[in-house]
Amino acid sequence: MMPWMSRLAPLCLFAFSTVAAAAAPATPATPPDTGIDGLMQRYDGRVPGAAVLVLKDGQPVFRRGYGLAVVEDGTPVSPATNFRLASVSKQFTAAAILLLAEDGRLSIDDPLKKWLPSLPAVADAMTLRNLLSHTSGLLDYEDLMDPADTRQVHDIDVLHLLEKENRTYFAPGSDYRYSNSGYALLALVVGKASGSGFASFLRQRIFLPLGMQATYAHQDGVDEVPTRAYGYSEIDGRWQRTDQSTTSAVLGDGGIYSSLDDLAKWDAALYDERLLRRDSLRLAFSPATKTPEADVPFYGFGWRINGDMLWHSGESIGFRNVILRYPKQKLTVIVLTNRNDPEPYPLARKIAGRWLETER
């Protein structure tokens, strides 16, 4: 650690704890040579914004909001602003399955049809492990939806769509294809195995025990997301609200809302056994399958794996997010945005580089 960082850490910890408690937008002082403000210029001002968190050795060394969470009334982004995580949610779905495996409620090698017996014969050979690692071959539910039907689909509707399709992209376990369908079905499995429903299980077994009070697998009409950011897309040169689509109510593949402050608590729990046992964490973070995707040589359970870096992005209408974790260096970078463009992964890599370069 650089000398200035060691002096900064106590100050950051104090600022983080007091500000988080008050849900205020203030941030700890940061060294001017990080250059992050310069990188974030396009998110600043009266435009849909972003929230950036850098954790080093368990401490927030950069924590700041840019731009607006609600463009219409000028509400600014703060570290307490809740963004729709989109596919960053998948790591929580995977963690729920691993928790239930620890409880003895299921096995990750259970046949999928043990839990969802209404699926057609083509699913006979599928296991929960296949769904966790995107090796099931399940069809994309988005491609099966009726484009003329504007109603939102839910996880149970994904099951109903797949019940009618006795075909797959490939034999289960023989290949890799990223699958939102698989994680929607995993949410249903969590609900059946726990007996409490997916959103309730996450709330009671993950979010509340970790102090993630403002994090929800959001269900319209059931819960209210506090300090919520709304999603926007740039259309004909103007930012227009595009917060929901027909797939936005599916929870298992991307329905969680969370903030920098709550995600810092999640990140801390991934270094010890306060939530998951060491063996479960090892499963989540170990290569389960090779992938052909750029910057993703391997996929674990809810995590992309590239050398020492664990990461996942999330894209939904009006939101683009990414979390990068470098466990060996005890470094995490999170960028949450409420706009359709750009993809923040390259930006997060540049931010991470500011700290990684000091350790070379």
Side-chain angles (χ1 to χ4, degrees):
M1 178 184 292
M2 299 297 288
W4 57 262
M5 291 182 69
S6 63
R7 295 194 299 271
L8 179 64
L11 173 62
C12 292
L13 178 59
F14 174 78
F16 183 83
S17 59
T18 56
V19 173
T27 61
T30 55
D33 58 350
T34 60
I36 296 177
D37 284 345
L39 293 173
M40 300 302 297
Q41 283 182 350
R42 69 187 302 174
Y43 294 93
D44 215 1
R46 299 194 64 79
V47 294
V52 179
L53 176 66
V54 181
L55 297 164
K56 184 71 176 80
D57 298 319
Q59 306 300 328
V61 293
F62 192 94
R63 174 180 169 274
R64 187 166 297 173
Y66 300 87
L68 301 178
V70 185
V71 171
E72 291 80 4
D73 65 9
T75 301
V77 172
S78 81
T81 298
N82 281 293
F83 293 77
R84 177 177 163 83
L85 297 186
S87 286
V88 174
S89 302
K90 288 182 170 68
Q91 58 203 255
F92 294 96
T93 305
I97 291 289
L98 291 169
L99 275 173
L100 287 165
E102 290 181 1
D103 292 345
R105 296 289 189 93
L106 54 74
S107 165
I108 63 172
D109 291 310
D110 279 347
L112 175 59
K113 290 185 67 173
K114 174 180 178 179
W115 298 102
L116 303 175
S118 62
L119 286 166
V122 74
D124 287 351
M126 292 180 192
T127 66
L128 301 187
R129 184 187 295 270
N130 291 146
L131 271 61
L132 288 163
S133 59
H134 298 295
T135 57
S136 67
L138 284 166
L139 300 183
D140 293 330
Y141 73 83
E142 299 96 324
D143 295 336
L144 304 176
M145 294 167 56
D146 180 357
D149 191 343
T150 59
R151 294 173 298 177
Q152 285 191 321
V153 298
H154 298 76
D155 301 79
I156 189 64
D157 299 311
V158 174
L159 174 61
H160 294 331
L161 288 168
L162 292 169
E163 286 171 347
K164 304 171 185 176
E165 301 291 336
N166 196 28
R167 57 194 176 99
T168 59
Y169 293 120
F170 50 78
S174 67
D175 205 347
Y176 167 92
R177 181 177 172 125
Y178 188 85
S179 175
N180 286 317
S181 297
Y183 272 76
L185 296 187
L186 285 171
L188 297 177
V189 172
V190 170
K192 284 202 168 188
S194 66
S196 63
F198 178 69
S200 177
F201 182 85
L202 290 184
R203 186 88 177 140
Q204 298 303 319
R205 291 294 304 276
I206 297 179
F207 302 151
L208 293 182
L210 295 182
M212 300 171 67
Q213 303 285 346
T215 299
Y216 291 88
H218 175 52
Q219 301 171 94
D220 211 21
V222 176
D223 59 71
E224 291 290 333
V225 178
T227 322
R228 177 175 173 178
Y230 287 89
Y232 298 85
S233 297
E234 192 171 18
I235 301 172
D236 297 327
R238 295 178 58 249
W239 289 107
Q240 299 183 33
R241 187 181 287 196
T242 56
D243 186 71
Q244 294 283 299
S245 72
T246 52
T247 63
S248 293
V250 180
L251 300 182
D253 66 347
I256 294 174
Y257 279 76
S258 194
S259 66
L260 295 184
D261 288 345
D262 274 7
L263 289 174
K265 298 168 185 176
W266 168 245
D267 178 75
L270 300 178
Y271 284 108
D272 57 36
E273 295 187 277
R274 73 187 73 179
L275 181 70
L276 288 165
R277 297 172 189 162
R278 189 68 58 190
D279 288 347
S280 296
L281 290 171
R282 191 176 299 112
L283 276 173
F285 300 150
S286 296
T289 183
K290 292 183 179 180
T291 90
E293 299 176 5
D295 277 341
V296 194
F298 301 98
Y299 199 94
F301 292 168
W303 288 94
R304 293 170 168 141
I305 303 169
N306 187 352
D308 290 341
M309 182 178 70
L310 304 168
W311 70 284
H312 215 290
S313 56
E315 298 184 10
S316 179
I317 186 168
F319 293 93
R320 298 289 185 271
N321 312 301
V322 69
I323 177 171
L324 311 180
R325 300 186 72 245
Y326 300 82
K328 290 184 179 179
Q329 293 84 5
K330 295 292 292 288
L331 174 70
T332 296
V333 175
I334 302 171
V335 181
L336 307 176
T337 82
N338 60 325
R339 53 168 64 192
N340 69 318
D341 189 66
E343 163 60 45
Y345 172 72
L347 181 63
R349 291 294 300 265
K350 288 180 181 178
I351 293 171
R354 301 294 199 270
W355 276 266
L356 295 174
E357 288 169 1
T358 67
E359 300 186 0
R360 290 175 181 167

